Amino acid sequence: MRVTFIHADGKGRTEVEADPGDILLDVAQAHLMPLEGTCEGQMACSTCHVIVAKEDFGRLPPASEEEEDMLDLAAGVRRTSRLSCQIVLTEDMDGLTVQIPAESRNMQG
């Protein structure tokens, strides 16, 4: 399946192959996208925040209350923001497009 990452500058694009069951954060990091993921997917930070394309947002399961709480801490949050550590890819998400936010909060100092 294909996933497209739009770079933080809004211009660059990286298209990658992924497998159903992959976690979006892992896919992003494997392809050198600048998503920190400080808490390693434990939903204790917001450094893996991505903005899902409006047309793709409805294909994702709803965010949990805990994820919504963490998104409140993220910089540049939009209506279609999600934590990439919480997105487990499915075949229904083939062609998913997400943007790396232009701003982020670096939790590692």
Side-chain angles (χ1 to χ4, degrees):
M1 64 181 297
R2 307 265 318 144
V3 176
T4 300
F5 294 97
I6 299 173
H7 300 188
D9 65 7
K11 298 175 185 172
R13 297 169 71 91
T14 300
E15 291 187 15
V16 303
E17 290 289 329
D19 294 315
D22 286 350
I23 296 170
L24 185 59
L25 174 60
D26 296 338
V27 173
Q29 289 178 334
H31 292 89
L32 306 177
M33 295 294 105
L35 293 178
E36 195 173 311
T38 302
C39 74
E40 298 179 356
Q42 299 301 307
M43 220 173 2
C45 73
S46 59
T47 61
C48 68
H49 165 231
V50 294
I51 301 162
V52 178
K54 290 177 188 173
E55 60 273 13
D56 293 334
F57 190 73
R59 297 196 284 156
L60 276 60
S64 67
E65 186 174 328
E66 294 85 1
E67 182 179 355
E68 293 285 352
D69 289 345
M70 291 311 309
L71 283 167
D72 288 341
L73 304 175
V77 172
R78 297 192 189 154
R79 189 183 63 75
T80 60
S81 289
R82 292 294 301 267
L83 298 179
S84 61
C85 71
Q86 297 302 301
I87 299 174
V88 178
L89 298 172
T90 65
E91 290 181 10
D92 293 340
M93 295 177 199
D94 186 29
L96 180 70
T97 298
V98 297
Q99 181 168 354
I100 307 299
E103 55 184 310
S104 65
R105 290 198 170 93
N106 183 333
M107 302 296 212
Q108 292 184 334

